[in-house]
Amino acid sequence: MKIISTQSDSFKKEFDEILARAKTDIKGVSSIVTQIITEIIEEKNSALKRHIQKFDKWEVKSDEELLISKEDMKKAYENIDENLKSALHTAYDRIKAYHEKQLPKSWIDFEKNGTILGQKVTAVDKAGLYIPGGKAAYPSSLLMNAIPAIVAGVEEIVVCTPTPNNEVNELLLAACHICNISKAFKVGGASAIAAMAYGTQTIPKVDVITGPGNIFVATAKKLVFGEVNIDMIAGPSEIGILSDSTAKPKYLAIDLLSQAEHDEMASSIMITIDENIAKQTSIEVENYLKTLSRSEIARKSIDERGAIIVASSMDEACELMNEIAPEHLEVMTTNPFDLLSKIKHAGAIFLGENTPEPIGDYIAGPNHTLPTGSTAKFYSPLNVENFMKKSSIINFSSQAIDELGEACAILADTEGLTAHAESVRVRLKKDN
Amino acid sequence: MKIISTQSDSFKKEFDEILARAKTDIKGVSSIVTQIITEIIEEKNSALKRHIQKFDKWEVKSDEELLISKEDMKKAYENIDENLKSALHTAYDRIKAYHEKQLPKSWIDFEKNGTILGQKVTAVDKAGLYIPGGKAAYPSSLLMNAIPAIVAGVEEIVVCTPTPNNEVNELLLAACHICNISKAFKVGGASAIAAMAYGTQTIPKVDVITGPGNIFVATAKKLVFGEVNIDMIAGPSEIGILSDSTAKPKYLAIDLLSQAEHDEMASSIMITIDENIAKQTSIEVENYLKTLSRSEIARKSIDERGAIIVASSMDEACELMNEIAPEHLEVMTTNPFDLLSKIKHAGAIFLGENTPEPIGDYIAGPNHTLPTGSTAKFYSPLNVENFMKKSSIINFSSQAIDELGEACAILADTEGLTAHAESVRVRLKKDN
C-alpha cells in the first residue's frame, strides 16, 4: 500500500488527488434518467412495466404483480436460519434504540409580554425507501432506512427494489417482515425513484425518498429533489483511520480492507504519526489480500485509491482528516476521546480498537447511510429528521403587537410593502 | 374574490387547481444555467466579470472591485434613520433569540456493557448567503439568512448580491453591518451560486448556500446541490388562513393581500366555516385593493390565484389546509391553539388575531424563509441546522464486541463481505 509523508515535496499534489477522490458525476446519465422520469410522469404504470421488461427481464402481466405480498415476507422470515434471525433482531433493536434518542421535540416558549413562540415537529406522511436488489441486496440497508422512518412516526412507508428475472432476495423480504413494511414493490432504478416522486396507479407519491443505489438511482434522486425531499447523493464507500504507535497493524489492515472490498472505487486512507505502524500495516494488508473472497476488488481499490499518510503530529493528522471529511473515521490512538473535539468532519466516528467500522454497518445502532466524498462537511448521517419537518409557531398577544407592531411596520415600509405594513397597523388602531 | 364551497360539484376540480399552484419549474432555464455554472468552474473570476458586465451593466476593472468594503457597510448603517436602525436591531435581537432556542446539542449515551454511542453536532466551516439586489433588496432577507448561520457558529459567512449599474442597496449594507458580515461580493444570479459552490480566486468555496432568488438562482441552487448543501428551492409566496365566525373580515382581507402584493404568482387562500365571513372578507379585499401601492400586482394574484373556500366543518377545513401545506398559515378562530394538533403541514403557523403574517416576516423571531408550493410537507423553515451537521460517535468496549461481534459477523457473512466479518472476528480472538 502506498505510503506518503507530509514532509515530501510531492505531498500536496498527492493529497489533492486523495481529496479529488471518486464523486458521483451525474452528467453522463442525466439525459437518459430525465427521459425515464418523463415516461413515468406521463405513462405511469405502463412505463414502469416497460422499464421492468427492459432492465429486469421479466414481463409484468398485471399491476398487482408489482406488489410483494406481506405473506411472502413472512415466509421468507420464517425460512431463515435462527442465528441470522436473532442477529437481525439484535440489529433492529439496537438501531431503533439509537434512533429514538435522536427524536426532536416540539417546543414552545413564553415571553413576558404574552408572546408565545415555538416549533412543531411532525413526521412526513409518506416515505419511500429505495433498496438495491439482486446480488447487492443488503438486508442491513432496509433496516437502516426503514427504522428512522418508523421511529419518526411516518404513517406510510413504501419500499421499491429491483427484482432481476422476477427473483426477490429472500433476506430482504425477511428484513421487510421484521420492519413490518406494508407495501413493497418490484420496481428498481430511476423508474422507482420517479414512481415514488410523482406517483403511479399502484405506487403512492411519497414526501421523502431515501436509500442507496447506482448512478442512475443517484441521478434520479437529484433530479426529483424539490418535488420530494431526498437524503443525500451517495458515492463510493470510504474509510479514514487516525492511528498512533499503540494501534495494532492487523486491525488497521483489515479495517482498511473492509471498505476496499466494497467497490474498486472505494477509498481507504490512514493517517498515522508512526512510520513503523505505516509499514507494518502495509505488510498486513498484503497478507490479508491473499485470503479475502473479494480480494480482486479490494486490491484494485487499495492500489489505485488507498494511501497511508505519515504525519508529523496528531494535530496535523486531524487537520488533514478534516479536509478529507471521510464517510467513516476510525480513531486508533491511545486516548481516542481526546481527539474528538479536533475532529470536525466525518460521517461516523469509531473510537478505539474494539470499534471496527463494520460494527457500525450492522449492529452498533447509528445509521450506516453516511455522507461520502467530503460531503460530511455539510451532510449528516441518515437520521429521524430526514423523515420529519418543522413548522414555526407564532402567537402574539395584544400587548406584544402594541410593543412590536410599529417596528415591524417600519421595516415593511422600508421594503415598499404597504399591505404588510397595513396588516400590522390595522391591529394597532384599537377602534377596530 | 372567488368564493367556492366544498359542497359544490366543481369543488374537487377547483381544489386541484389550488393544489397545482405555481411551482418553480426549472426546465426552461436549465441549459442556460448549466452553461453559466460551467463558465464559472472553468474561468472563475474572468467569467464572473463577464457575467456582471452582461447582466448588471458595469465593468469590473479589478478583482478587488468585486468586494464590498466593511467601511461601506458601516457608513450605510450610520446614515439610516434612527427609527429604522432601532427596528433593525429589535428584529436582529428577536431573530437571534429564537434561533438560539433551536440549537441542537451533541449527546452521548452509555450502555451497561461499556458501549458509548452519541452524536456530535458541528457547524459547517463556510456558508454562502445569496441576497437579491436592486429593487428587491430586502434587508430582512439578510437578517433571516445570516442569523441562523451566526447562531450555528459558522466561522466564515459570505454574502453575494447583484449590484445593477454597480449600485449597492444601502439598507442591505446596513443590515450587513449589523450582522458583522466580513465578506460581501457584488455578484448576482446563477454566477454567484456557482462561484460560492466551486470557488473562484476571490470568492471562497462554501459548504452551504441559502437565500432567495429568481428562477435562475433557484435553478443554479438545484444544480449545485450535492457539491454543497442548499436550504430549499423556493417558489412564489403563499398564505393560507383558517377562520370561523369570530374572525374580523378586515384583518383577514389585509392579511390575504399582504401575500398577494408580493408577486402576481403569489397564492392567497382562506378556508372558513362561515359563509358570511367569506362574503365580508371578499368585500374588504375589494376595498383595500383601491388603496394599496402595489394593488395592480395584488389584484392579479387575488383574481387568478386567490380563493375563499367555505368548508362544512373545521375538521374538513384542516384536512384541506394540510393538503395545501401553505408557506404561511394564519389561524383566526375562537381558540386557535385547539387546532394546532390538527395542523400537520405548514411552514409557519400564526395563531390568533394579533398575529398577522408580516409579524413573522420581520420581527417575531422565527425565520421568514419557508417552504412553498406544498413542500412544507417535507421541508422545514430555514433554521440553525441548515448550517450544521452531525457525526455519529461509536465506542465499543471489549465486553461489547464480545457480546455483539458474532451477530455482526453473521450479518456481514450473509451479505458476502468477508473482510467486514474478519475485521470483527479478529478482535474476538483474544490472543492478538
Side-chain angles (χ1 to χ4, degrees):
Chain A
M1 203 170 164
K2 181 168 62 180
I3 299 177
I4 52 183
S5 160
T6 58
Q7 302 304 307
S8 89
D9 293 339
S10 59
F11 178 70
K12 198 185 165 323
K13 190 176 153 285
E14 288 172 301
F15 190 67
D16 282 345
E17 277 167 25
I18 291 171
L19 289 181
R21 66 199 184 281
K23 289 187 186 175
T24 304
D25 183 6
I26 71 163
K27 270 179 209 146
V29 302
S30 253
S31 64
I32 304 170
V33 174
T34 302
Q35 178 61 28
I36 289 173
I37 295 173
T38 306
E39 289 179 22
I40 298 290
I41 293 173
E42 287 171 3
E43 304 171 62
K44 300 186 167 42
N45 273 2
S46 61
L48 266 188
K49 291 177 196 166
R50 198 168 61 239
H51 297 167
I52 290 170
Q53 176 109 47
K54 185 172 172 191
F55 299 111
D56 290 341
K57 313 285 179 202
W58 62 283
E59 195 190 336
V60 187
K61 287 181 192 123
S62 69
D63 291 353
E64 290 68 40
E65 274 192 302
L66 293 170
L67 194 73
I68 299 169
S69 76
K70 289 213 65 164
E71 203 164 313
D72 284 349
M73 297 178 198
K74 192 166 176 239
K75 250 186 241 164
Y77 169 78
E78 284 163 357
N79 285 338
I80 58 174
D81 171 81
E82 284 304 318
N83 284 336
L84 177 55
K85 203 180 277 181
S86 155
L88 282 170
H89 278 287
T90 302
Y92 180 92
D93 292 344
R94 293 189 56 87
I95 298 165
K96 188 150 179 272
Y98 180 84
H99 287 81
E100 280 168 352
K101 298 205 171 73
Q102 290 180 330
L103 262 181
K105 285 200 175 83
S106 299
W107 54 266
I108 50 170
D109 190 69
F110 305 87
E111 296 181 32
K112 280 187 187 158
N113 64 11
T115 302
I116 301 175
L117 298 180
Q119 192 169 268
K120 185 181 182 195
V121 192
T122 328
V124 302
D125 288 335
K126 294 178 190 177
L129 316 180
Y130 185 83
I131 311 293
K135 284 178 196 164
Y138 293 153
S140 60
S141 299
L142 195 271
L143 298 184
M144 290 291 184
N145 281 273
I147 294 171
I150 293 167
V151 172
V154 178
E155 277 182 28
E156 186 165 357
I157 301 171
V158 167
V159 169
C160 280
T161 186
T163 57
N165 305 309
N166 199 13
E167 281 165 24
V168 193
N169 181 299
E170 293 292 313
L171 286 168
L172 195 58
L173 288 194
C176 282
H177 176 79
I178 291 173
C179 293
N180 194 25
I181 298 294
S182 55
K183 284 185 182 167
F185 299 99
K186 297 176 179 177
V187 181
S191 311
I193 303 300
M196 293 192 281
Y198 293 94
T200 75
Q201 297 91 336
T202 306
I203 298 179
K205 172 177 171 49
V206 302
D207 301 301
V208 176
I209 298 175
T210 70
N214 61 20
I215 179 84
F216 294 94
V217 170
T219 304
K221 280 171 72 180
K222 172 155 173 163
L223 291 173
V224 302
F225 172 69
E227 184 67 30
V228 296
N229 205 354
I230 65 168
D231 52 343
M232 64 188 90
I233 299 158
S237 197
E238 315 163 345
I239 189 168
I241 303 182
L242 290 169
S243 65
D244 63 15
S245 61
T246 63
K248 295 196 174 79
K250 205 168 175 177
Y251 290 9
L252 299 170
I254 191 69
D255 294 358
L256 289 166
L257 287 164
S258 72
Q259 291 313 294
E261 78 170 341
H262 267 298
D263 187 348
E264 291 169 359
M265 305 282 277
S267 149
S268 306
I269 308 291
M270 177 163 85
I271 309 181
T272 183
I273 51 169
D274 188 302
E275 208 180 331
N276 190 42
I277 289 286
K279 285 176 193 158
Q280 290 301 317
T281 303
S282 179
I283 292 166
E284 293 288 357
V285 165
E286 279 308 308
N287 290 341
Y288 266 126
L289 275 171
K290 289 168 198 150
T291 70
L292 296 176
S293 66
R294 296 168 66 93
S295 67
E296 212 169 310
I297 293 169
R299 176 170 296 286
K300 192 147 189 249
S301 162
I302 290 287
D303 285 353
E304 294 182 5
R305 297 171 188 276
I308 299 175
I309 297 171
V310 181
S312 48
S313 72
M314 201 43 91
D315 277 354
E316 185 188 44
C318 287
E319 267 171 45
L320 293 171
M321 199 53 93
N322 281 329
E323 281 194 64
I324 295 175
E327 181 189 17
H328 306 99
L329 172 62
E330 287 187 0
V331 185
M332 299 283 214
T333 58
T334 327
N335 293 306
F337 274 94
D338 286 358
L339 297 186
L340 205 44
S341 65
K342 287 180 185 156
I343 296 163
K344 291 200 292 181
H345 310 307
I349 306 165
F350 299 80
L351 298 169
E353 70 169 30
N354 294 306
T355 321
E357 182 280 330
I359 279 289
D361 284 341
Y362 295 110
I363 210 123
N367 212 284
H368 78 191
T369 310
L370 298 165
T372 61
S374 298
T375 61
K377 289 187 174 182
F378 48 81
Y379 284 144
S380 301
L382 186 67
N383 63 84
V384 296
E385 294 198 53
N386 288 97
F387 299 98
M388 308 186 89
K389 35 75 191 186
K390 292 160 185 158
S391 305
S392 309
I393 299 169
I394 309 175
N395 173 238
F396 261 39
S397 62
S398 166
Q399 188 191 335
I401 192 151
D402 281 348
E403 284 176 16
L404 294 162
E406 190 50 32
C408 179
I410 287 173
L411 290 166
D413 286 339
T414 302
E415 296 188 354
L417 298 171
T418 51
H420 281 64
E422 177 60 18
S423 92
V424 175
R425 290 204 175 105
V426 69
R427 284 150 161 111
L428 301 178
K429 298 168 197 155
K430 289 301 159 192
D431 55 348
N432 281 295
Chain B
M1 203 172 163
K2 182 167 63 180
I3 300 176
I4 52 184
S5 159
T6 58
Q7 303 304 308
S8 89
D9 292 342
S10 59
F11 178 71
K12 201 188 161 321
K13 190 176 151 284
E14 288 172 301
F15 190 67
D16 282 346
E17 277 168 24
I18 291 172
L19 289 181
R21 68 197 183 281
K23 289 185 187 177
T24 304
D25 184 5
I26 71 162
K27 270 178 210 147
V29 301
S30 253
S31 64
I32 304 169
V33 174
T34 302
Q35 178 61 30
I36 289 173
I37 294 173
T38 307
E39 288 179 21
I40 298 291
I41 293 173
E42 287 172 3
E43 304 171 62
K44 300 187 168 47
N45 274 1
S46 61
L48 266 189
K49 290 177 196 166
R50 198 168 62 240
H51 297 166
I52 289 170
Q53 175 109 50
K54 185 172 172 191
F55 298 112
D56 290 341
K57 312 287 180 201
W58 62 282
E59 196 191 336
V60 187
K61 288 180 192 123
S62 70
D63 291 354
E64 290 68 40
E65 273 192 304
L66 294 170
L67 194 73
I68 299 170
S69 77
K70 290 212 65 166
E71 202 165 315
D72 285 347
M73 296 178 197
K74 194 166 173 236
K75 249 186 243 164
Y77 169 77
E78 283 163 356
N79 285 338
I80 59 173
D81 171 83
E82 283 304 319
N83 283 336
L84 177 55
K85 203 180 278 181
S86 155
L88 283 171
H89 278 288
T90 302
Y92 180 91
D93 292 343
R94 292 190 58 87
I95 298 164
K96 188 150 180 273
Y98 180 84
H99 287 81
E100 279 168 353
K101 298 205 171 74
Q102 290 180 331
L103 263 180
K105 286 198 175 83
S106 298
W107 55 266
I108 51 171
D109 190 69
F110 305 88
E111 296 181 31
K112 279 184 188 162
N113 65 11
T115 302
I116 301 176
L117 298 180
Q119 192 170 268
K120 186 182 180 192
V121 192
T122 328
V124 301
D125 288 335
K126 293 178 190 178
L129 317 180
Y130 185 82
I131 310 293
K135 283 181 198 163
Y138 293 154
S140 59
S141 299
L142 194 270
L143 297 184
M144 290 292 184
N145 280 273
I147 294 171
I150 293 167
V151 171
V154 178
E155 276 181 28
E156 186 167 356
I157 301 171
V158 166
V159 169
C160 279
T161 187
T163 56
N165 305 310
N166 199 12
E167 282 165 25
V168 194
N169 182 299
E170 293 291 313
L171 285 169
L172 194 58
L173 288 194
C176 282
H177 176 78
I178 291 173
C179 292
N180 195 24
I181 299 296
S182 55
K183 282 185 184 170
F185 299 98
K186 297 176 180 177
V187 182
S191 310
I193 303 300
M196 293 192 282
Y198 293 93
T200 74
Q201 297 91 334
T202 306
I203 298 178
K205 173 177 170 49
V206 302
D207 301 301
V208 175
I209 297 176
T210 71
N214 61 19
I215 180 82
F216 294 93
V217 170
T219 304
K221 281 171 72 179
K222 172 155 172 162
L223 291 172
V224 301
F225 173 69
E227 183 67 31
V228 296
N229 205 354
I230 64 168
D231 51 345
M232 62 188 89
I233 299 158
S237 196
E238 315 164 346
I239 189 169
I241 303 182
L242 290 169
S243 65
D244 63 15
S245 62
T246 63
K248 296 196 174 82
K250 206 168 175 178
Y251 290 9
L252 300 170
I254 191 69
D255 294 358
L256 290 166
L257 287 164
S258 74
Q259 291 314 294
E261 77 170 341
H262 266 299
D263 187 347
E264 290 169 359
M265 306 281 278
S267 149
S268 305
I269 309 290
M270 177 163 84
I271 309 181
T272 183
I273 51 169
D274 187 301
E275 209 181 329
N276 189 41
I277 289 286
K279 284 177 194 157
Q280 292 300 318
T281 302
S282 178
I283 292 166
E284 294 287 356
V285 165
E286 279 308 309
N287 290 341
Y288 267 125
L289 274 172
K290 289 169 198 151
T291 70
L292 296 176
S293 66
R294 295 167 68 92
S295 68
E296 211 169 313
I297 294 170
R299 175 169 295 284
K300 194 147 189 249
S301 163
I302 290 287
D303 286 352
E304 293 181 7
R305 296 170 190 277
I308 299 175
I309 297 171
V310 181
S312 48
S313 71
M314 201 44 90
D315 277 354
E316 185 189 43
C318 287
E319 268 172 45
L320 293 171
M321 199 54 92
N322 281 329
E323 282 194 64
I324 295 174
E327 181 189 17
H328 305 99
L329 172 62
E330 287 187 358
V331 185
M332 299 283 214
T333 58
T334 326
N335 293 306
F337 274 94
D338 285 0
L339 297 186
L340 206 44
S341 66
K342 287 181 185 156
I343 296 162
K344 291 199 292 182
H345 310 308
I349 305 165
F350 300 79
L351 299 168
E353 70 170 28
N354 294 307
T355 321
E357 183 279 331
I359 278 288
D361 283 340
Y362 295 109
I363 210 123
N367 212 283
H368 78 193
T369 310
L370 298 165
T372 60
S374 297
T375 61
K377 289 187 173 181
F378 49 81
Y379 285 144
S380 301
L382 185 67
N383 63 84
V384 296
E385 294 197 54
N386 288 95
F387 300 97
M388 308 185 90
K389 33 77 189 184
K390 292 158 184 158
S391 304
S392 309
I393 299 169
I394 309 176
N395 174 239
F396 261 39
S397 62
S398 167
Q399 188 190 336
I401 194 152
D402 281 350
E403 286 175 18
L404 294 162
E406 191 50 32
C408 180
I410 287 173
L411 290 166
D413 286 339
T414 302
E415 297 189 352
L417 297 171
T418 52
H420 281 64
E422 178 60 18
S423 91
V424 175
R425 289 202 176 104
V426 69
R427 283 148 160 113
L428 301 176
K429 298 167 197 157
K430 290 300 159 192
D431 55 348
N432 280 296

